[in-house]
Coordinates of all heavy atoms in Angstrom, one line a residue:
Chain A
Y42 N -14.9 31.0 -37.8 CA -14.5 32.4 -37.6 C -15.3 33.3 -38.4 O -15.7 34.4 -37.9 CB -13.0 32.6 -37.9 CG -12.0 31.9 -37.0 CD1 -10.8 31.4 -37.5 CD2 -12.3 31.7 -35.7 CE1 -10.0 30.7 -36.7 CE2 -11.5 31.0 -34.8 CZ -10.3 30.6 -35.3 OH -9.4 29.9 -34.5
V43 N -15.6 33.0 -39.6 CA -16.5 33.8 -40.5 C -17.9 33.9 -39.8 O -18.5 35.0 -39.8 CB -16.6 33.3 -41.9 CG1 -17.6 34.1 -42.7 CG2 -15.2 33.4 -42.6
L44 N -18.4 32.8 -39.3 CA -19.7 32.9 -38.7 C -19.7 33.7 -37.4 O -20.7 34.4 -37.1 CB -20.1 31.4 -38.3 CG -20.6 30.5 -39.4 CD1 -21.0 29.2 -38.8 CD2 -21.7 31.2 -40.2
L45 N -18.6 33.8 -36.7 CA -18.5 34.6 -35.5 C -18.1 36.1 -35.9 O -17.9 36.9 -35.0 CB -17.4 34.1 -34.6 CG -17.8 32.9 -33.8 CD1 -16.6 32.2 -33.1 CD2 -18.8 33.3 -32.7
N46 N -18.1 36.3 -37.2 CA -17.8 37.7 -37.7 C -16.4 38.1 -37.3 O -16.1 39.3 -37.1 CB -18.8 38.7 -37.3 CG -19.0 39.7 -38.4 OD1 -18.6 39.5 -39.5 ND2 -19.7 40.8 -38.0
A47 N -15.4 37.2 -37.2 CA -14.0 37.5 -36.9 C -13.3 37.4 -38.2 O -12.6 36.5 -38.4 CB -13.4 36.6 -35.8
Q48 N -13.5 38.4 -39.0 CA -13.0 38.3 -40.4 C -11.5 38.3 -40.5 O -10.8 37.6 -41.3 CB -13.6 39.4 -41.3 CG -15.0 39.1 -41.6 CD -15.8 40.3 -41.6 OE1 -15.3 41.4 -41.3 NE2 -17.1 40.2 -41.9
F49 N -10.8 39.1 -39.6 CA -9.4 39.2 -39.6 C -8.8 37.8 -39.3 O -7.9 37.3 -40.0 CB -8.9 40.2 -38.6 CG -7.4 40.3 -38.4 CD1 -6.6 40.7 -39.4 CD2 -6.9 39.9 -37.2 CE1 -5.3 40.8 -39.3 CE2 -5.5 40.0 -37.0 CZ -4.7 40.4 -38.1
L50 N -9.3 37.2 -38.2 CA -8.8 35.9 -37.8 C -9.1 34.8 -38.9 O -8.3 33.9 -39.1 CB -9.5 35.4 -36.5 CG -9.0 36.2 -35.3 CD1 -9.6 35.6 -34.1 CD2 -7.5 36.0 -35.2
A51 N -10.2 35.0 -39.6 CA -10.5 34.0 -40.7 C -9.5 34.1 -41.7 O -8.9 33.0 -42.2 CB -11.9 34.3 -41.2
I52 N -9.1 35.3 -42.1 CA -8.1 35.4 -43.2 C -6.7 35.0 -42.7 O -6.0 34.3 -43.4 CB -8.0 36.9 -43.7 CG1 -9.4 37.3 -44.3 CG2 -6.9 37.1 -44.6 CD1 -9.7 36.5 -45.6
V53 N -6.4 35.3 -41.4 CA -5.1 35.0 -40.9 C -5.0 33.4 -40.8 O -4.0 32.8 -41.1 CB -4.8 35.7 -39.6 CG1 -3.6 35.1 -38.9 CG2 -4.6 37.1 -39.8
N54 N -6.1 32.8 -40.3 CA -6.1 31.4 -40.2 C -5.9 30.7 -41.6 O -5.2 29.8 -41.7 CB -7.5 30.9 -39.6 CG -7.5 29.5 -39.2 OD1 -6.6 29.2 -38.3 ND2 -8.4 28.7 -39.7
F55 N -6.6 31.3 -42.6 CA -6.5 30.7 -43.9 C -5.1 30.8 -44.4 O -4.5 29.9 -44.9 CB -7.5 31.5 -44.8 CG -7.8 30.8 -46.1 CD1 -8.9 30.0 -46.1 CD2 -7.1 31.0 -47.2 CE1 -9.3 29.3 -47.2 CE2 -7.5 30.3 -48.4 CZ -8.5 29.5 -48.4
I56 N -4.5 32.0 -44.2 CA -3.1 32.2 -44.8 C -2.1 31.5 -44.0 O -1.3 30.7 -44.5 CB -2.8 33.7 -44.9 CG1 -3.8 34.4 -45.9 CG2 -1.4 33.9 -45.4 CD1 -3.6 35.9 -45.9
V57 N -2.1 31.7 -42.7 CA -1.0 31.2 -41.9 C -1.1 29.7 -41.7 O -0.2 28.9 -42.0 CB -0.9 31.9 -40.5 CG1 0.1 31.3 -39.6 CG2 -0.6 33.4 -40.7
Y58 N -2.3 29.2 -41.2 CA -2.4 27.8 -40.9 C -2.5 27.0 -42.2 O -1.6 26.1 -42.4 CB -3.6 27.5 -40.0 CG -3.2 27.5 -38.6 CD1 -3.7 28.4 -37.7 CD2 -2.4 26.5 -38.1 CE1 -3.3 28.4 -36.4 CE2 -2.0 26.4 -36.8 CZ -2.5 27.4 -35.9 OH -2.1 27.3 -34.6
M59 N -3.5 27.2 -43.0 CA -3.7 26.4 -44.2 C -2.6 26.6 -45.2 O -2.2 25.7 -45.9 CB -5.0 26.6 -44.8 CG -6.1 26.2 -43.9 SD -7.7 26.7 -44.5 CE -7.7 25.9 -46.1
G60 N -2.1 27.9 -45.3 CA -1.1 28.2 -46.3 C 0.3 27.8 -45.9 O 0.9 27.0 -46.6
A61 N 0.7 28.3 -44.8 CA 2.1 28.2 -44.4 C 2.4 26.9 -43.6 O 3.2 26.1 -44.0 CB 2.6 29.4 -43.7
I62 N 1.7 26.8 -42.5 CA 2.1 25.7 -41.6 C 1.9 24.3 -42.2 O 2.7 23.4 -42.1 CB 1.4 25.9 -40.3 CG1 1.8 27.2 -39.6 CG2 1.6 24.7 -39.4 CD1 1.3 27.4 -38.3
M63 N 0.7 24.2 -42.9 CA 0.4 22.9 -43.4 C 1.3 22.5 -44.6 O 1.7 21.4 -44.8 CB -1.1 22.9 -43.9 CG -2.0 22.7 -42.8 SD -1.7 21.3 -41.8 CE -1.0 22.1 -40.3
V64 N 1.7 23.5 -45.4 CA 2.6 23.3 -46.5 C 4.0 22.8 -45.9 O 4.6 21.9 -46.4 CB 2.8 24.5 -47.4 CG1 3.9 24.3 -48.3 CG2 1.5 24.7 -48.2
L65 N 4.3 23.4 -44.8 CA 5.6 23.1 -44.1 C 5.5 21.6 -43.7 O 6.4 20.8 -43.9 CB 5.8 24.0 -42.9 CG 7.2 24.2 -42.4 CD1 8.1 24.8 -43.5 CD2 7.2 25.1 -41.2
F66 N 4.4 21.2 -43.1 CA 4.2 19.8 -42.6 C 4.3 18.9 -43.8 O 5.0 17.9 -43.8 CB 2.8 19.6 -42.0 CG 2.8 19.9 -40.5 CD1 2.2 20.9 -39.9 CD2 3.5 19.0 -39.7 CE1 2.2 21.1 -38.6 CE2 3.5 19.2 -38.3 CZ 2.8 20.2 -37.8
L67 N 3.6 19.2 -44.9 CA 3.6 18.3 -46.0 C 5.0 18.2 -46.7 O 5.4 17.1 -47.0 CB 2.6 18.9 -47.1 CG 1.9 17.9 -48.0 CD1 1.3 16.8 -47.2 CD2 0.9 18.6 -48.8
F68 N 5.7 19.4 -46.7 CA 7.0 19.4 -47.2 C 7.9 18.5 -46.4 O 8.7 17.7 -47.0 CB 7.5 20.8 -47.2 CG 8.9 21.0 -47.6 CD1 9.3 20.8 -48.9 CD2 9.9 21.3 -46.7 CE1 10.7 20.9 -49.3 CE2 11.2 21.4 -47.0 CZ 11.6 21.2 -48.3
V69 N 7.9 18.6 -45.1 CA 8.7 17.7 -44.3 C 8.4 16.3 -44.4 O 9.3 15.4 -44.5 CB 8.7 18.2 -42.8 CG1 9.4 17.2 -41.9 CG2 9.3 19.5 -42.7
L70 N 7.1 16.0 -44.5 CA 6.7 14.6 -44.7 C 7.2 14.0 -46.0 O 7.7 12.9 -46.0 CB 5.1 14.5 -44.8 CG 4.4 14.3 -43.4 CD1 2.9 14.3 -43.7 CD2 4.8 13.0 -42.8
M71 N 7.1 14.8 -47.1 CA 7.6 14.4 -48.3 C 9.1 14.3 -48.3 O 9.7 13.4 -48.9 CB 7.2 15.3 -49.5 CG 5.7 15.3 -49.7 SD 5.1 13.7 -50.2 CE 3.4 14.0 -50.4
L72 N 9.8 15.2 -47.6 CA 11.3 15.2 -47.6 C 11.8 14.0 -46.9 O 12.7 13.4 -47.3 CB 11.7 16.5 -46.8 CG 13.2 16.7 -46.7 CD1 13.8 17.2 -48.0 CD2 13.5 17.7 -45.6
L73 N 11.1 13.6 -45.8 CA 11.5 12.4 -45.1 C 11.0 11.2 -45.7 O 11.3 10.1 -45.2 CB 11.0 12.5 -43.6 CG 11.5 13.8 -42.8 CD1 11.0 13.6 -41.4 CD2 12.9 14.0 -42.9
N74 N 10.1 11.3 -46.7 CA 9.6 10.1 -47.4 C 8.9 9.2 -46.5 O 9.1 8.0 -46.5 CB 10.7 9.4 -48.1 CG 10.1 8.5 -49.2 OD1 9.0 8.7 -49.6 ND2 10.9 7.7 -49.8
L75 N 8.0 9.8 -45.6 CA 7.2 9.0 -44.7 C 5.9 8.6 -45.4 O 5.3 9.4 -46.0 CB 6.9 9.8 -43.5 CG 8.0 10.2 -42.6 CD1 7.5 11.0 -41.4 CD2 8.8 9.0 -42.1
N76 N 5.5 7.3 -45.3 CA 4.2 6.9 -45.8 C 3.7 5.8 -44.9 O 4.2 5.5 -43.8 CB 4.3 6.5 -47.3 CG 5.5 5.6 -47.5 OD1 5.8 4.8 -46.7 ND2 6.2 5.8 -48.6
K77 N 2.7 5.1 -45.4 CA 2.1 4.0 -44.6 C 3.1 2.9 -44.2 O 3.0 2.4 -43.1 CB 0.9 3.4 -45.4 CG -0.1 2.8 -44.6 CD -1.3 2.4 -45.5 CE -2.3 1.6 -44.7 NZ -3.4 1.2 -45.6
E78 N 4.0 2.7 -45.1 CA 5.0 1.5 -44.8 C 5.9 1.9 -43.6 O 6.3 1.0 -42.8 CB 5.8 1.2 -46.0 CG 5.0 0.4 -47.0 CD 4.0 1.2 -47.8 OE1 4.4 2.3 -48.2 OE2 2.9 0.7 -48.0
S79 N 6.3 3.2 -43.5 CA 7.2 3.6 -42.5 C 6.5 4.0 -41.2 O 7.2 4.5 -40.3 CB 8.1 4.7 -43.0 OG 7.3 5.8 -43.3
E80 N 5.2 3.9 -41.2 CA 4.5 4.3 -40.0 C 4.8 3.3 -38.9 O 4.6 2.1 -39.0 CB 3.0 4.3 -40.3 CG 2.1 4.6 -39.1 CD 2.1 6.1 -38.7 OE1 2.7 6.9 -39.4 OE2 1.6 6.3 -37.6
P81 N 5.3 3.9 -37.7 CA 5.6 3.0 -36.6 C 4.3 2.3 -36.1 O 3.3 2.9 -35.9 CB 6.2 3.9 -35.6 CG 5.8 5.3 -36.0 CD 5.7 5.3 -37.4
M82 N 4.5 1.0 -35.8 CA 3.3 0.2 -35.3 C 3.3 0.2 -33.8 O 4.4 0.4 -33.1 CB 3.4 -1.2 -35.8 CG 3.0 -1.4 -37.2 SD 1.2 -1.0 -37.3 CE 1.2 -0.1 -38.9
K83 N 2.2 0.0 -33.2 CA 2.1 0.1 -31.8 C 1.0 -0.9 -31.3 O 0.1 -1.2 -32.1 CB 1.6 1.5 -31.4 CG 2.0 1.9 -30.0 CD 1.6 3.3 -29.8 CE 1.5 3.6 -28.4 NZ 0.9 4.9 -28.2
S84 N 1.1 -1.4 -30.1 CA 0.2 -2.4 -29.7 C -1.2 -1.8 -29.5 O -1.3 -0.6 -29.2 CB 0.7 -3.0 -28.4 OG 0.6 -2.1 -27.4
N85 N -2.2 -2.6 -29.6 CA -3.6 -2.2 -29.5 C -3.9 -1.7 -28.1 O -4.7 -0.9 -27.9 CB -4.5 -3.3 -29.9 CG -4.9 -3.2 -31.4 OD1 -4.8 -2.1 -32.0 ND2 -5.1 -4.3 -32.0
L86 N -3.2 -2.3 -27.1 CA -3.5 -2.0 -25.7 C -3.3 -0.6 -25.4 O -4.1 0.1 -24.8 CB -2.6 -2.9 -24.8 CG -3.0 -2.9 -23.4 CD1 -4.3 -3.5 -23.1 CD2 -1.9 -3.6 -22.5
I87 N -2.1 -0.1 -25.9 CA -1.8 1.3 -25.7 C -2.8 2.3 -26.4 O -3.2 3.3 -25.9 CB -0.4 1.6 -26.1 CG1 0.6 0.7 -25.3 CG2 0.0 3.1 -25.8 CD1 2.0 0.9 -25.6
K88 N -3.2 1.8 -27.6 CA -4.2 2.6 -28.4 C -5.5 2.7 -27.6 O -6.1 3.8 -27.4 CB -4.5 2.0 -29.7 CG -3.7 2.6 -30.8 CD -4.1 2.0 -32.1 CE -3.1 2.4 -33.2 NZ -3.1 1.6 -34.4
I89 N -6.0 1.6 -27.1 CA -7.2 1.6 -26.3 C -7.1 2.5 -25.1 O -7.9 3.3 -24.7 CB -7.6 0.2 -25.9 CG1 -8.0 -0.6 -27.2 CG2 -8.8 0.2 -25.0 CD1 -8.1 -2.1 -27.0
A90 N -5.9 2.4 -24.4 CA -5.7 3.2 -23.2 C -5.7 4.6 -23.5 O -6.3 5.5 -22.8 CB -4.3 2.8 -22.6
G91 N -5.1 5.0 -24.7 CA -5.1 6.4 -25.1 C -6.5 6.9 -25.4 O -6.8 8.0 -25.0
V92 N -7.3 6.1 -26.1 CA -8.7 6.5 -26.4 C -9.5 6.7 -25.1 O -10.2 7.7 -24.9 CB -9.3 5.5 -27.3 CG1 -10.8 5.8 -27.4 CG2 -8.7 5.6 -28.7
V93 N -9.3 5.7 -24.1 CA -10.0 5.8 -22.8 C -9.6 7.1 -22.1 O -10.4 7.8 -21.5 CB -9.7 4.5 -22.0 CG1 -10.2 4.7 -20.6 CG2 -10.5 3.4 -22.6
A94 N -8.3 7.4 -22.1 CA -7.8 8.6 -21.4 C -8.4 9.8 -22.0 O -8.8 10.7 -21.3 CB -6.3 8.6 -21.4
G95 N -8.4 9.9 -23.4 CA -9.0 11.0 -24.0 C -10.5 11.2 -23.7 O -10.9 12.3 -23.5
M96 N -11.2 10.1 -23.7 CA -12.6 10.1 -23.4 C -12.9 10.6 -21.9 O -13.8 11.4 -21.7 CB -13.3 8.8 -23.6 CG -13.5 8.4 -25.0 SD -14.5 9.5 -25.9 CE -14.3 9.1 -27.5
C97 N -12.0 10.2 -21.0 CA -12.1 10.6 -19.6 C -11.9 12.1 -19.5 O -12.7 12.8 -18.8 CB -11.0 9.9 -18.7 SG -11.4 8.2 -18.4
L98 N -10.9 12.6 -20.3 CA -10.7 14.1 -20.3 C -12.0 14.8 -20.8 O -12.4 15.8 -20.2 CB -9.5 14.4 -21.1 CG -9.2 15.9 -21.3 CD1 -8.8 16.5 -20.0 CD2 -8.2 16.2 -22.3
L99 N -12.5 14.2 -21.9 CA -13.7 14.9 -22.5 C -14.9 14.9 -21.5 O -15.6 15.9 -21.4 CB -14.1 14.1 -23.8 CG -15.3 14.6 -24.5 CD1 -15.1 16.0 -24.9 CD2 -15.6 13.8 -25.7
V100 N -15.1 13.8 -20.8 CA -16.2 13.7 -19.9 C -16.0 14.7 -18.8 O -17.0 15.4 -18.4 CB -16.3 12.2 -19.4 CG1 -17.3 12.2 -18.2 CG2 -16.8 11.3 -20.4
T101 N -14.8 14.8 -18.3 CA -14.5 15.8 -17.2 C -14.8 17.2 -17.7 O -15.4 18.0 -17.0 CB -13.0 15.7 -16.8 OG1 -12.7 14.3 -16.6 CG2 -12.7 16.4 -15.6
L102 N -14.3 17.5 -18.9 CA -14.5 18.9 -19.4 C -16.0 19.2 -19.6 O -16.5 20.2 -19.2 CB -13.8 19.1 -20.7 CG -12.2 19.2 -20.7 CD1 -11.7 19.2 -22.1 CD2 -11.9 20.4 -19.9
A103 N -16.7 18.2 -20.2 CA -18.1 18.4 -20.5 C -18.9 18.5 -19.1 O -19.8 19.3 -19.0 CB -18.7 17.2 -21.3

Side-chain angles (χ1 to χ4, degrees):
Chain A
Y42 292 147
V43 171
L44 285 182
L45 283 167
N46 215 11
Q48 285 142 358
F49 174 67
L50 285 184
I52 294 295
V53 168
N54 194 55
F55 201 87
I56 295 172
V57 174
Y58 265 114
M59 293 172 60
I62 296 184
M63 285 304 109
V64 169
L65 204 60
F66 269 112
L67 206 54
F68 172 71
V69 170
L70 271 180
M71 293 298 182
L72 181 76
L73 304 185
N74 200 12
L75 296 179
N76 46 37
K77 202 173 173 180
E78 282 75 42
S79 62
E80 175 72 12
M82 281 296 139
K83 202 178 162 188
S84 70
N85 268 332
L86 188 68
I87 302 178
K88 260 183 193 165
I89 293 168
V92 171
V93 168
M96 286 299 168
C97 286
L98 177 68
L99 178 60
V100 167
T101 313
L102 287 175

